[in-house]
């Protein structure tokens, strides 16, 4: 708004052409060097809203608009990027949250995580992949703090579609997920050394329907219901 005070030099005709400070009634403040009364170059803007929260932007301006490199801080959030235009980031940027010690480095569109990016949680879990609307959407890979690994499709930060999960203790799943739960056809290996595995359908994370259970000595085609074997359709004993 136009309710502000200016501290600095002015030409006789009122043009600002030097370092100056603009202060607004709500406590917001702008510090920069003016050229022909416009902000062209580095500036610091401290903004206060109706809730007395303060945000700070330090960066480059062109014709009174943030454009280029900038560093933004509000509460526990800090964002750095060379893709600022007006009040948005479009391009590569870094976002750090001091409150939960999380960290994102990647692409932004209209200040939202969109495109390729890497996200790190404070427990050491790292996820990288395709982002949309601030969430993993598309293909991604997550390395968990306990050394488990997921690689596959995401929808709104949840496993959704085809994916593979390798647990830290050696168990392995490869197949379909629906809203974070194993649903559809999949392969589940409990022990690779003993070749203790299941090939078949799952529902709500449990074996359900027709599936093949194998180990080093047996090959069974079975019908399953909610994780329990209902009957054996076919059974072969394998030679050692």
């Amino acid at each position: 708004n136009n309710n502000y005070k200016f501290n600095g030099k002015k030409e006789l005709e009122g043009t600002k052409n030097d370092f100056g400070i603009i202060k607004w009634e709500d406590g917001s403040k702008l510090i920069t060097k003016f050229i022909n009364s416009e902000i062209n170059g580095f500036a610091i803007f401290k903004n206060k809203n109706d809730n007395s929260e303060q945000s700070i932007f330090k960066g480059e301006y062109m014709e009174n608009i943030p454009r280029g490199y900038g560093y933004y801080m509000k509460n526990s959030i800090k964002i750095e990027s060379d893709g600022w235009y007006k009040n948005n980031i479009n391009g590569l940027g870094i976002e750090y949250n001091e409150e939960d010690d999380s960290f994102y480095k990647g692409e932004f569109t209209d200040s939202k995580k969109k495109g390729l990016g890497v996200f790190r949680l404070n427990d050491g879990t790292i996820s990288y992949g395709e982002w949309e609307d601030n969430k993993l959407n598309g293909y991604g890979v997550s390395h968990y703090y306990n050394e488990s690994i997921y690689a596959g499709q995401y929808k709104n930060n949840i496993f959704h579609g085809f994916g593979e999960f390798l647990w830290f203790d050696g168990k392995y799943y490869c197949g379909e997920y629906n809203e974070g739960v194993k649903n559809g056809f999949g392969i589940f290996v409990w022990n690779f050394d003993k070749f203790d595995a299941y090939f078949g359908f799952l529902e709500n994370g449990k074996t359900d329907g027709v599936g093949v259970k194998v180990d080093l000595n047996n090959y069974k085609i079975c019908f399953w219901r909610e994780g329990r074997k209902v009957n054996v359709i076919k059974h072969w004993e394998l030679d050692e």
Side-chain angles (χ1 to χ4, degrees):
N1 62 62
N2 294 321
N3 296 320
Y4 65 85
K5 293 181 180 180
F6 174 74
N7 295 325
K9 284 186 177 181
K10 290 184 179 180
E11 305 293 339
L12 291 175
E13 63 275 16
T15 303
K16 308 179 190 77
N17 269 311
D18 203 345
F19 284 100
I21 301 174
I22 292 179
K23 295 181 180 179
W24 284 266
E25 291 181 348
D26 63 1
S28 298
K29 184 188 298 185
L30 176 72
I31 305 170
T32 190
K33 182 177 182 179
F34 292 90
I35 301 175
N36 294 325
S37 294
E38 289 189 334
I39 310 169
N40 282 285
F42 185 81
I44 300 173
F45 179 54
K46 296 182 179 180
N47 182 39
K48 287 188 176 181
N49 61 23
D50 294 336
N51 297 321
S52 296
E53 292 180 334
Q54 178 172 282
S55 62
I56 300 174
F57 178 81
K58 301 178 182 180
E60 298 170 344
Y61 281 72
M62 183 179 293
E63 296 178 349
N64 297 326
I65 295 173
R67 189 166 186 172
Y69 173 80
Y71 185 76
Y72 175 82
M73 294 177 286
K74 183 177 181 181
N75 299 327
S76 63
I77 303 295
K78 297 181 179 180
I79 304 175
E80 183 177 6
S81 175
D82 60 2
W84 286 93
Y85 180 67
K86 294 186 177 179
N87 294 319
N88 287 314
I89 306 170
N90 287 283
L92 292 175
I94 298 171
E95 179 182 289
Y96 176 65
N97 189 330
E98 287 184 332
E99 185 175 358
D100 60 13
D101 195 29
S102 63
F103 175 91
Y104 172 82
K105 183 176 182 179
E107 295 178 309
F108 288 82
T109 297
D110 294 334
S111 295
K112 291 185 177 182
K113 302 178 187 72
K114 184 177 181 180
L116 296 177
V118 179
F119 187 80
R120 187 210 68 197
L121 293 172
N122 61 357
D123 64 4
T125 297
I126 297 176
S127 298
Y128 52 93
E130 299 170 322
W131 295 76
E132 178 81 28
D133 198 24
N134 288 327
K135 295 178 180 179
L136 276 167
N137 278 287
Y139 183 80
V141 178
S142 292
H143 293 260
Y144 294 91
Y145 66 94
N146 63 1
E147 298 184 357
S148 297
I149 300 173
Y150 172 80
Q153 296 296 317
Y154 277 89
K155 179 183 177 182
N156 296 329
N157 285 342
I158 298 173
F159 307 158
H160 189 80
F162 181 82
E164 299 177 78
F165 199 104
L166 178 64
W167 282 263
F168 67 93
D169 59 3
K171 294 196 294 290
Y172 170 78
Y173 173 77
C174 174
E176 296 294 325
Y177 283 90
N178 183 28
E179 301 293 341
V181 180
K182 304 176 193 70
N183 263 298
F185 185 83
I187 300 170
F188 201 106
V189 181
W190 287 274
N191 190 308
F192 277 97
D193 292 334
K194 296 181 180 180
F195 196 60
D196 187 9
Y198 170 84
F199 301 77
F201 292 93
L202 299 97
E203 186 172 340
N204 295 324
K206 297 178 180 180
T207 51
D208 199 285
V210 177
V212 178
K213 177 70 171 64
V214 298
D215 56 36
L216 290 177
N217 301 313
N218 297 277
Y219 183 100
K220 299 177 182 179
I221 301 176
C222 305
F223 185 81
W224 305 75
R225 180 63 67 198
E226 296 183 352
R228 293 186 177 187
K229 182 171 57 181
V230 176
N231 58 52
V232 178
I233 300 173
K234 191 79 174 178
H235 177 208
W236 293 270
E237 291 187 3
L238 305 178
D239 294 333
E240 296 186 1

